[in-house]
Amino acid sequence: MKKRRKVLSVMLCAAMVASLAACGSKDDSKKSEDKDGKIKLTFSTSVYVEEPHQKAIDALLEAYSKKEPNVDIEILGAGYDGYWDNITTEILSNNESDMIQVYPENISTYNAIREGGTFMDLSEYMSDDLKKKLVGQEMCDVDGQTLAISSYAWGTTGIFYRKSMLKEAGVNPDDIKTQEDFREACKKFTSKDKYAMGVVSGTHAFTVSEWNRLIARPVSNGLYFPNGESEPYTADNVNINAPENVWAAQWWQDFILKDKAAKLVTDKKDSREMFWNGDVPFNMDGPWFVGMCKERDESMMDDIGIIPQFDVVYNGKAYKPNPTNYPLVTMISKNCKHPKEAYAFLEWMTTDEAQKIIADCGMIPSNTDYSTSDEYIKNHELEHKIVEFMQNNYTDLVADPNISQLGEISQIMLDAAQKMFSEQAADVQTEMDSAQKQVEDVMSRDAE
């Protein structure tokens, strides 16, 4: 499961807009009616290339076609890496899909491409009661408009562990309450060429996000901007080298390089392989990891448990985890010829009938009525632990800032993290100060 997403910094010149807009209207594959008179809708998503999502989405379409035989929905979208560029190109040429699935922090970027906004305000369609039930729905409001519906699924992270390894080492997972408890538990597994977990260090966004989710954001409540990555998004409000973030970066560097608790790997799949092979006892992941484990070797499932992310104690105060929420949300284009029918499909996805199907995608269904039901808990006991974590252990989950500059400032932070969290062991204060200045320059430039 792709847990992070590339957010493009869309800088569009008028000439480019004019030339692409001149390409014409929707192509034949996106006509609003089939030859047999059925209403045709198109749905773009980045996750259809992944087998669990493909299976779930195909089952959704099959079920909906029986309910609404006069509506034909076609799935579009490139693989993950090409998906985001394609959306930009299609919006510029007025050729985007009727429904486009993204993550909440992507909404503003793509809505701003077209003057006056690319997507419909769904406020007139959605009831307040439905909004309250959908995880991540509050993240879909931009400038007073509801531009997306969280009708598919979501995920956040916990810490998976191998029961047998912890038992042998005399570690009780229920005793891991803080980052220092976790560090002490990890030390029981560290020796020559032995580690407690894998940590990504390289060009992948996990180099920032794992440290950010576990240690930094809980104490600073914002790696880029304070107060939950909220406005104002200005140069004088950049938060990178705040004392809390610097302390968190030093703790993570020490955990990796001094404690030698984590093995540096270049890709998350390596961390997972180490966990599956019994080389390490811990792996931080989301609910999708349950399905991955079953697919890898169902016999190991009895040996796998999960605990919430721990509290982080800083200067004598305990801070609850606020890991990122990962809901997939869907927008409806203003160019959609059948918006009522498009919304009807997206709202149907929130029903128990559809949410039961969605549960097989590996993420957690978005409607809390279903994800807390006896049926879901019975069939998805381990995944439901993460629902419990969000309700009982985590404070408000924090996402990256929903701004067009996110791609650029994320790269700056990634460059700094590569230097800090590698054998290079660059000075933490120096790198955080440098990243602070670079991000300030980006925000100042864009304010001019």
Side-chain angles (χ1 to χ4, degrees):
M1 173 66 207
K2 302 284 189 182
K3 296 188 293 301
R4 294 304 303 152
R5 45 264 179 212
K6 182 172 64 174
V7 182
L8 302 174
S9 180
V10 184
M11 306 180 69
L12 310 170
C13 66
M16 183 178 180
V17 174
S19 64
L20 285 170
C23 293
S25 59
K26 291 182 179 289
D27 62 30
D28 290 341
S29 70
K30 297 182 182 178
K31 288 180 179 177
S32 63
E33 291 186 359
D34 285 333
K35 292 179 181 179
D36 58 5
K38 288 185 177 182
I39 291 172
K40 181 172 183 179
L41 297 169
T42 49
F43 185 105
S44 285
T45 174
S46 66
V47 298
Y48 192 69
V49 295
E50 299 174 17
E51 193 276 333
H53 288 287
Q54 185 178 119
K55 178 182 175 182
I57 292 170
D58 285 347
L60 285 172
L61 298 187
E62 181 180 356
Y64 196 71
S65 68
K66 294 176 181 177
K67 175 180 171 60
E68 297 290 346
N70 196 45
V71 177
D72 183 17
I73 300 173
E74 180 183 3
I75 301 297
L76 302 171
Y80 184 84
D81 290 337
Y83 179 72
W84 310 100
D85 291 325
N86 285 1
I87 294 177
T88 301
T89 302
E90 290 171 357
I91 292 173
L92 284 168
S93 59
N94 286 303
N95 196 39
E96 73 275 5
S97 293
D98 297 308
M99 297 171 281
I100 300 176
Q101 191 179 72
V102 296
Y103 296 91
E105 57 261 45
N106 305 136
I107 296 173
S108 290
T109 299
Y110 295 107
N111 189 56
I113 291 176
R114 187 175 296 145
E115 187 175 355
T118 306
F119 307 110
M120 292 177 50
D121 182 359
L122 303 182
S123 299
E124 64 179 284
Y125 294 103
M126 293 190 70
S127 68
D128 290 339
D129 182 57
L130 179 59
K131 286 183 178 181
K132 292 175 183 176
K133 296 177 181 179
L134 303 181
V135 174
Q137 184 59 48
E138 72 282 358
M139 302 163 72
C140 298
D141 288 353
V142 177
D143 297 330
Q145 295 184 317
T146 300
L147 296 183
I149 178 172
S150 179
S151 61
Y152 186 63
W154 64 278
T156 191
T157 46
I159 299 174
F160 290 84
Y161 64 89
R162 298 297 295 264
K163 296 176 182 178
S164 59
M165 296 180 71
L166 265 62
K167 183 177 180 180
E168 183 178 352
V171 175
N172 182 351
D174 294 334
D175 291 340
I176 299 175
K177 304 296 186 183
T178 72
Q179 87 278 7
E180 291 304 320
D181 295 336
F182 183 68
R183 172 184 254 165
E184 291 306 311
C186 287
K187 286 181 178 179
K188 293 183 180 293
F189 299 92
T190 59
S191 60
K192 184 176 176 62
D193 298 326
K194 295 290 185 180
Y195 303 90
M197 65 187 295
V199 166
V200 177
S201 177
T203 59
H204 199 286
F206 277 125
T207 306
V208 174
S209 66
E210 290 190 326
W211 153 69
N212 188 20
R213 281 176 279 157
L214 268 178
I215 308 296
R217 268 197 187 131
V219 294
S220 69
N221 204 29
L223 177 60
Y224 299 106
F225 302 93
N227 303 316
E229 303 291 0
S230 63
E231 297 182 88
Y233 299 123
T234 57
D236 59 4
N237 199 40
V238 177
N239 199 49
I240 289 173
N241 70 349
E244 297 88 347
N245 282 328
V246 175
W247 170 84
Q250 188 64 63
W251 190 95
W252 193 242
Q253 186 188 75
D254 290 346
F255 177 74
I256 297 169
L257 300 176
K258 288 187 178 180
D259 298 344
K260 298 193 180 300
K263 181 177 181 180
L264 296 175
V265 297
T266 57
D267 195 278
K268 186 64 179 177
K269 66 180 181 181
D270 299 318
S271 299
R272 291 167 175 156
E273 287 284 346
M274 291 165 65
F275 182 84
W276 290 327
N277 293 337
D279 297 328
V280 297
F282 295 113
N283 179 54
M284 183 173 71
D285 231 309
W288 42 80
F289 189 59
V290 177
M292 290 179 178
C293 292
K294 289 178 180 177
E295 184 177 341
R296 172 61 180 249
D297 182 1
E298 191 159 1
S299 67
M300 80 169 71
M301 295 308 298
D302 289 338
D303 192 41
I304 294 177
I306 182 172
I307 57 175
Q309 288 185 206
F310 40 74
D311 291 356
V312 179
V313 178
Y314 171 70
N315 282 350
K317 180 179 178 181
Y319 296 83
K320 285 196 167 296
N322 55 5
T324 303
N325 189 4
Y326 301 104
L328 279 160
V329 304
T330 306
M331 307 168 293
I332 299 176
S333 167
K334 287 182 177 179
N335 284 340
C336 178
K337 302 297 184 184
H338 302 285
K340 290 183 178 179
E341 289 79 3
Y343 180 78
F345 168 66
L346 297 176
E347 186 175 68
W348 170 80
M349 287 172 59
T350 70
T351 65
D352 284 358
E353 176 189 8
Q355 294 279 285
K356 181 178 180 179
I357 295 170
I358 288 169
D360 288 333
C361 78
M363 297 172 73
I364 299 170
S366 59
N367 193 326
T368 54
D369 281 355
Y370 184 76
S371 64
T372 58
S373 68
D374 291 341
E375 177 182 349
Y376 180 74
I377 295 170
K378 177 182 177 181
N379 296 321
H380 299 274
E381 183 178 0
L382 202 54
E383 294 97 321
H384 183 260
K385 290 286 187 183
I386 291 181
V387 179
E388 294 179 342
F389 296 164
M390 191 176 77
Q391 294 174 329
N392 303 319
N393 302 90
Y394 297 168
T395 186
D396 293 341
L397 283 71
V398 177
D400 287 339
N402 189 355
I403 56 176
S404 61
Q405 299 95 335
L406 181 59
E408 191 170 359
I409 66 176
S410 295
Q411 186 60 53
I412 291 169
M413 196 65 245
L414 176 58
D415 292 342
Q418 285 177 297
K419 297 174 184 176
M420 294 186 295
F421 311 137
S422 68
E423 295 297 339
Q424 181 178 345
D427 180 72
V428 165
Q429 186 71 62
T430 300
E431 295 303 324
M432 296 294 276
D433 287 345
S434 176
Q436 171 87 12
K437 178 63 168 60
Q438 292 176 68
V439 172
E440 287 175 351
D441 289 345
V442 170
M443 303 312 296
S444 296
R445 180 198 68 205
D446 289 352
E448 295 175 356

